[in-house]
Every structure is written in structure tokens, then in C-alpha cells.
Amino acid sequence: GAGVSQTPSNKVTEKGKYVELRCDPISGHTALYWYRQSLGQGPEFLIYFQGTGAADDSGLPNDRFFAVRPEGSVSTLKIQRTERGDSAVYLCASSPGGRVGYTFGSGTRLTVV
Amino acid sequence: SQQGEEDPQALSIQEGENATMNCSYKTSINNLQWYRQNSGRGLVHLILIRSNEREKHSGRLRVTLDTSKKSSSLLITASRAADTASYFCATDESGNQFYFGTGTSLTVIP
């Protein structure tokens, strides 16, 4: 596609539930990133994929968070047993690889009630 | 963790004036980027400056980088109401991920 697509744009879930957030990167972009942004803060790095593998998952806050990119294109961020503190905008970005700028999606606003 | 820190946190100017925002960081970097964000959603990449560059221009944007002071500035000339947004710097410590600061909220008053 022309840009990075994230779905859903908004998600409200109850505490303790499982959620999946999807990111469809720009076609041909090998690098994919997930960031989380809380209100009034800058984006915080979660995980980086190069192709199908997670090259760096050091930003995942705990083992409730997991992300996959099985075919090197679409990625899914999975959050188990959601907590109210998980409420944030989850941003996905892709790049052709190397030290160049990212293209970000519009994000998924997750609200845990 | 967040490495970059923008200053000021908020800036309000009249249309037509220039807006300057600064970014300071802590460790050595290879590149520094500036992004713009409207309404807390997707970020738009504005400009990337490499550590061996001192200044870069793109339209009404001018970015400087001083690696000895570990700081960068973003200048927007002849501001417009449509420039109202939050602006973030992002630096790379290692690998390919970038670390963002907390941003400067710019308001341009028509």
C-alpha cells in the first residue's frame, strides 16, 4: 500500500482481556517497528523486526507483550491480560532498512477499562 | 528509555514569526531525526541529519546539529497556522531503533 496501515484505529477492552493490534507496512519495507506513546510523552520503542525475525525486543515491557511478523510483511502486536496502564497509542513504523527515516502509521488508540 | 529532550515543552507564536525548538541528547549518535505529530497520532518524518553534518535545510525547515554539545535545533521560518503540531527529535544510540524525546508543542496563532 501507499502508507503504513494500522487496524483497528481505536480499541476499547476490559482489563484482563487479550488484544491484537495489526500493522501493514509499506510494501517492500524490510524493517518494522512498534512504539507505544502515552499521553504527553514521546513514542517509546517496543520492538524492531528485520524481515521475519525480531532483531530487538528489548523495549517490550514484560512477557504479556508479544509481536510476530511471520511472513516479513504484516505484523501483529499481542497483549495478554491487559491492564489499565497499557492504555496508550500504539504506533507502527516501517523503513526500507538502514539508517533512514521511518514512515509511521496513524496508530491504534488502546483503552483498557 | 527516552534519550532526546526537547526544549521548550510548549511554544506559542504569531503566524509569520520563526519558531525555534531545541533537542539535547546524552550519548553519541549516528543520526538525529525530527518528526512532526498532529493530534497525538501518526508521526511525519521531517528531516534526518547525520552526525558528520552540521546543518540541513528542507523548505522552511532548518536543522542544525552540534555533536560537541549533544544538541540540535529545528527552525521553522515564516510559520503558518498549519504548522501547529508537536515536534519530536529522535536519536539512535545503537542498532536501527530511534529514541524519541518528549516533544515541543507548537501553536501558531493566525
Side-chain angles (χ1 to χ4, degrees):
Chain A
V4 178
S5 175
Q6 289 189 249
T7 54
S9 56
N10 287 283
K11 175 73 176 177
V12 180
T13 190
E14 292 182 346
K15 180 174 176 290
K17 298 289 187 184
Y18 167 84
V19 296
E20 289 190 352
L21 312 179
R22 176 188 168 109
C23 173
D24 203 334
I26 290 174
S27 179
H29 278 193
T30 57
L32 185 145
Y33 308 80
W34 284 98
Y35 281 81
R36 177 169 72 172
Q37 187 175 23
S38 300
L39 191 64
Q41 300 295 314
E44 289 187 292
F45 170 76
L46 295 177
I47 188 169
Y48 156 59
F49 287 90
Q50 182 59 44
T52 60
D56 185 345
D57 64 358
S58 61
L60 295 177
N62 52 59
D63 61 6
R64 296 186 297 105
F65 289 74
F66 189 70
V68 296
R69 194 187 185 198
E71 297 178 358
S73 177
V74 171
S75 177
T76 305
L77 178 66
K78 308 179 181 193
I79 310 174
Q80 298 177 318
R81 304 183 304 280
T82 51
E83 299 176 357
R84 292 197 179 87
D86 298 336
S87 296
V89 175
Y90 289 81
L91 295 163
C92 176
S94 70
S95 80
R99 299 185 184 280
V100 296
Y102 303 164
T103 300
F104 276 86
S106 297
T108 294
R109 185 179 299 280
L110 175 66
T111 303
V112 182
V113 297
Chain B
S1 64
Q2 294 184 308
Q3 160 151 257
E5 187 173 313
E6 288 86 349
D7 168 59
Q9 288 188 328
L11 178 63
S12 184
I13 60 173
Q14 295 289 330
E15 199 165 34
E17 294 181 336
N18 296 341
T20 300
M21 46 207 101
N22 305 295
C23 167
S24 59
Y25 57 92
K26 296 176 184 139
T27 64
S28 297
I29 61 170
N30 296 297
N31 303 287
L32 184 145
Q33 302 182 70
W34 284 91
Y35 285 84
R36 166 201 166 112
Q37 185 177 43
N38 288 82
S39 304
R41 298 307 286 259
L43 288 93
V44 175
H45 178 255
L46 296 176
I47 199 163
L48 179 150
I49 187 165
R50 303 185 193 281
S51 60
N52 62 353
E53 296 175 312
R54 292 295 167 259
E55 189 170 312
K56 209 160 180 181
H57 297 255
S58 177
R60 294 184 295 112
L61 306 180
R62 173 178 167 248
V63 168
T64 62
L65 178 64
D66 187 333
T67 53
S68 66
K69 295 181 180 177
K70 294 187 170 58
S71 68
S72 174
S73 68
L74 171 67
L75 168 68
I76 304 174
T77 60
S79 63
R80 304 167 183 169
D83 294 329
T84 295
S86 292
Y87 292 83
F88 294 89
C89 68
T91 56
D92 64 337
E93 292 179 20
S94 62
N96 284 312
Q97 67 272 27
F98 281 79
Y99 293 87
F100 289 80
T102 53
T104 292
S105 176
L106 173 67
T107 301
V108 181
I109 303 165

